[in-house]
Amino acid sequence: MRLLVTASDDKKLQVLELAKQRFEEKNRGAVIDIEPLPREILEQRMRNGNPPDLIEWDGSHIGELLDRNTVTDLTSLVQDGAFELSDYYPSVLGACMNQGRLGAIPVMAEVPGVFYNKAQFDQAGVPYPKEDWTWEEFVKKARKLNIYDSDGEVIRYGAYLVPRLLPVEPLAWSCGGAFLSEDGSKASGYLDSPATVETIRKYLEMFHPLEVTPFEDVGKDTWIACFIHHKMAMYYDANWTIKPMRPEHREQFGVVMPPRMGDSPFRNIVQVYGYCISAQCSDAGLAWAFLQELASPHTDSGREWAKHNLAASRSVAEISGQLSDPLYSPFLESLATAKQGAFDVSSMKLWDFWNNDIFQNWILRESRINIEERLKKIAEQYDDSR
């Protein structure tokens, strides 16, 4: 009895190693082979018809994987009661299903939010942001929180907006726009719609001319330093930012879901991670048994995922303490109505035409970009490629 599973990064490798140890102790003769493998090599193997038995899933359109017979439909297997599907947050489970088929078991999720430095708000006399706030309120607070030196140079930014596309999409939804149609098949009329154009324009204005956010890609190793050293007062990024915080950091920050840019209720964007059983797996029973060890909220390894990202199920959220945590709980609440974004729905096909490099180039070129014209061209290129 032998099973192959790959790991694309160290955190997944750690959980897989724990699951392997527990599973092999309980099942004498079973061998779980774990192969560290970059995501792009895994995808190449899948295209070549040589996938591992258990496939690491990054949220790409599960319907396509099922339709191509790349992964196994788990609907009949889950009837054994090993996983209580109602325990998963709606948006997380929704990402794993297509037309009544279950293609993956989720282990963790990620959604964006706005962190704010309470001390800097207090010093400036600016009220903390509240849920269901608007983009206008966000901009107003950011402008009040900007601090300049005697030469007019910014020494503290009121906000930090990541120069990446994923957190822009939920803002477009709240404005009545979208990057793609719901099924990911069409961009024209969505990516180039007036609402989406206006969203992109307003986001770019925060860099220029308002200058309330710096143009730099602040990552996991530097974002807390930027906050601690008073370089920015608000930070718009995903829940992963909580993990590096020490106790003294946590007390300094509050968190609120992103603001509405339009009149529609805010709906967050979710990225979901999990595991699928390959349709070519020669021992689906063994794969299913190991998947239970790896992903169940009742196992050590299943609960371990919450140490790395947002819990996928209510049980793990409660056991891990995320549910009662003032920083994590707003993110968990947003999973009730969140949905996958255009890049996942299109299985990253949109990325070939509309990506962070293009977006960052627009930021650098400031007002010389005709946003409407550019988005229209990208939408046409995407549609022509389908």
Side-chain angles (χ1 to χ4, degrees):
M1 296 193 301
R2 204 173 198 100
L3 196 72
L4 175 64
V5 58
T6 58
S8 62
D9 59 46
D10 289 341
K11 66 183 178 184
K12 295 185 180 76
L13 180 61
Q14 291 172 17
V15 185
L16 284 166
E17 291 284 4
L18 176 60
K20 167 185 167 70
Q21 177 186 343
R22 298 285 194 269
F23 188 75
E24 291 179 348
E25 288 172 354
K26 298 173 187 175
N27 299 271
R28 298 300 178 184
V31 178
I32 307 300
D33 294 318
I34 303 173
E35 181 183 2
L37 196 70
R39 184 72 204 176
E40 56 270 21
I41 304 300
L42 170 60
E43 291 174 352
Q44 183 178 346
R45 281 195 189 179
M46 290 169 64
R47 288 192 296 270
N48 293 339
N50 185 34
D53 297 302
L54 209 62
I55 298 174
E56 179 185 320
W57 175 67
D58 63 353
S60 58
H61 196 288
I62 202 68
E64 286 191 15
L65 297 176
L66 288 163
D67 290 343
R68 295 201 309 263
N69 199 32
T70 301
V71 303
T72 300
D73 182 358
L74 307 176
T75 306
S76 60
L77 293 173
V78 82
Q79 290 176 2
D80 65 6
F83 294 95
E84 180 55 61
L85 297 186
S86 63
D87 188 36
Y88 292 101
Y89 288 98
S91 61
V92 173
L93 181 61
C96 301
M97 300 193 70
N98 176 262
Q99 298 179 349
R101 301 170 296 174
L102 180 67
I105 298 296
V107 295
M108 57 185 180
E110 190 167 280
V111 294
V114 177
F115 293 85
Y116 57 93
N117 188 310
K118 292 185 283 189
Q120 292 177 20
F121 271 72
D122 293 341
Q123 292 166 6
V126 177
Y128 299 158
K130 297 180 179 180
E131 295 295 340
D132 197 36
W133 56 325
T134 66
W135 183 258
E136 288 71 23
E137 290 174 309
F138 175 69
V139 174
K140 185 177 180 180
K141 290 179 187 297
R143 296 185 73 176
K144 286 184 176 180
L145 288 157
N146 256 35
I147 293 181
Y148 305 85
D149 63 16
S150 57
D151 295 322
E153 296 294 324
V154 180
I155 57 176
R156 184 186 76 195
Y157 288 93
Y160 173 74
L161 299 178
V162 289
R164 300 194 293 274
L165 282 169
L166 188 140
V168 181
E169 192 169 10
L171 301 175
W173 294 337
S174 73
C175 200
F179 287 0
L180 294 178
S181 59
E182 286 286 340
D183 62 0
S185 65
K186 188 174 177 58
S188 295
Y190 297 91
L191 185 61
D192 57 350
S193 69
T196 304
V197 171
E198 181 67 4
T199 300
I200 300 298
R201 185 186 64 77
K202 286 183 176 179
Y203 201 88
L204 293 177
E205 280 181 350
M206 296 291 281
F207 297 90
H208 308 284
L210 296 181
E211 291 191 322
V212 292
T213 182
F215 175 50
E216 53 185 294
D217 208 348
V218 176
K220 63 181 180 180
D221 299 323
T222 55
W223 89 268
I224 288 180
C226 288
F227 256 134
I228 298 303
H229 296 297
H230 308 294
K231 299 296 184 183
M232 58 189 68
M234 291 184 286
Y235 186 94
Y236 180 24
D237 208 332
N239 58 266
W240 65 262
T241 52
I242 302 172
K243 189 176 182 293
M245 293 184 187
R246 296 195 298 268
E248 61 270 25
H249 297 152
R250 295 173 61 90
E251 296 176 359
Q252 297 182 41
F253 306 136
V255 65
V256 65
M257 289 303 94
R260 288 183 291 109
M261 192 170 277
D263 296 330
S264 300
F266 182 80
R267 189 176 187 183
N268 218 340
I269 188 171
V270 62
Q271 291 183 288
V272 183
Y273 305 89
Y275 286 86
C276 310
I277 296 177
S278 168
Q280 298 184 38
C281 178
S282 60
D283 194 340
L286 179 64
W288 180 245
F290 180 66
L291 186 53
Q292 293 173 49
E293 183 68 44
L294 179 65
S296 171
H298 307 297
T299 64
D300 292 339
S301 47
R303 294 189 289 266
E304 190 76 7
W305 293 106
K307 295 182 180 179
H308 301 288
N309 220 319
L310 200 62
S313 69
R314 296 176 180 86
S315 294
V316 173
E318 183 173 6
I319 293 168
S320 66
Q322 287 187 5
L323 195 61
S324 58
D325 188 301
L327 293 181
Y328 275 108
S329 58
F331 291 102
L332 291 169
E333 290 173 11
S334 77
L335 291 176
T337 58
K339 64 177 181 177
Q340 285 185 293
F343 296 104
D344 284 337
V345 169
S346 69
S347 295
M348 294 303 290
K349 295 182 179 67
L350 179 60
W351 194 256
D352 295 334
F353 309 97
W354 179 224
N355 55 52
N356 290 335
D357 290 341
I358 294 171
F359 189 55
Q360 290 173 3
N361 178 261
W362 291 12
I363 294 172
L364 287 170
R365 293 185 64 181
E366 304 180 28
S367 61
R368 288 171 287 172
I369 293 293
N370 185 322
I371 299 169
E372 184 175 7
E373 189 175 284
R374 293 297 183 94
L375 291 178
K376 181 177 176 60
K377 183 177 180 181
I378 292 168
E380 290 172 348
Q381 291 174 335
Y382 178 82
D383 289 350
D384 288 345
S385 73
R386 300 294 288 174

